[in-house]
Amino acid sequence: MKRIAIITSGGDAPGMNTALRSVVRKAINHKLEVYGIQRGYVGLLKEQIIPLDSRSVGGILNQGGTVLKTGRCSEIRTEKGIKKAVSILKKFKIEGLVAIGGDGSMRAAERISRHGICAVSIPASIDNDVYGTDETVGFDTAIDTAIDAVDKIRDTAASHERIFIVEVMGREHGFLAIAIGIAAGAEFVIIPEIKYDIKKICNELKNQVKKGKTSIIIIHAEGSGDVYDFAEKIQKAINMEVRVSSLGYIQRGGSPSARSRVLATLFGAHAVKLLRQGKNNRLVALRQGRVTDVPYSQVKGKEKKPDKDLYNLVKHLAI
Ligand code: F6P
């Protein structure tokens, strides 16, 4: 293999730049030529492909977002889009592809890999919802960002003796919400995967107040329904002031944490190793503390499930 390309796609995640730097420099170490695809698959289909050298990735390790830029692309989900992407990659004589992103990026890379281009994926998403890896690049940073905000909100909750419902990201999954709930010592976590019983929650809240709690934090993942409806129901049942605070995109940005940087760097180096070995269609992964890889066929179509013990631990500690 002589020439590889890197793409960042889907929602940006802190550490994408760190992974990019690692891939570029590790590949250059092994005398590979490296190209960067700009603006995700949208940019690929527009031939926005530029050569990268060691200097192109200098000073980016600690920057959030992605210097290659990213985007969401509907055309790449079609067979026509895949064929076009493959012919563009071949035109640029690209033999290997590293896709940095979430599920959607992986799916496109897998389809591209069926057409004579070796493709591997690096899981990067603040949601940590990629099946096959215990952790995605950016997840740890997003937890840090959110708990910093929740700690501040707790000051107001405690001073005013209020219930705060903090909406965090997670359109389909609650991994981020659970981790924030644990790390910030929330009283409840509401996630899309587990149905909640509003009556039960209100009863438990009342019990907690009876036992002397004067402020409450509830972490509500955005995919769990309208947070204001939820707040209204709580407000009706409990004689305490209720406020909603939505953290939004603040969770996606910022300088990657030490853990996200190390993970991204190791993932990047592993991706290059796989391409050099001619290993196709694999997901770089963290499993039981080790950086490894899994065939995409073992991951395809599978959904990562939340850890119920962790979810319950939030409740068990909120007594
Ligand atoms: O990166 C994942 C995620 O943050 C989800 O939790 C969220 O719902 C989604 O991206 C929103 O991203 P966008 O508005 O960029 O599509």
Side-chain angles (χ1 to χ4, degrees), residues 10-12 72 125-127 169-172 176 222 249 252:
D12 62 301
R72 302 199 192 268
S125 158
I126 66 158
D127 290 342
M169 274 194 163
R171 196 157 38 197
E172 282 150 22
L176 188 59
E222 61 175 341
Y249 287 88
R252 281 248 291 260

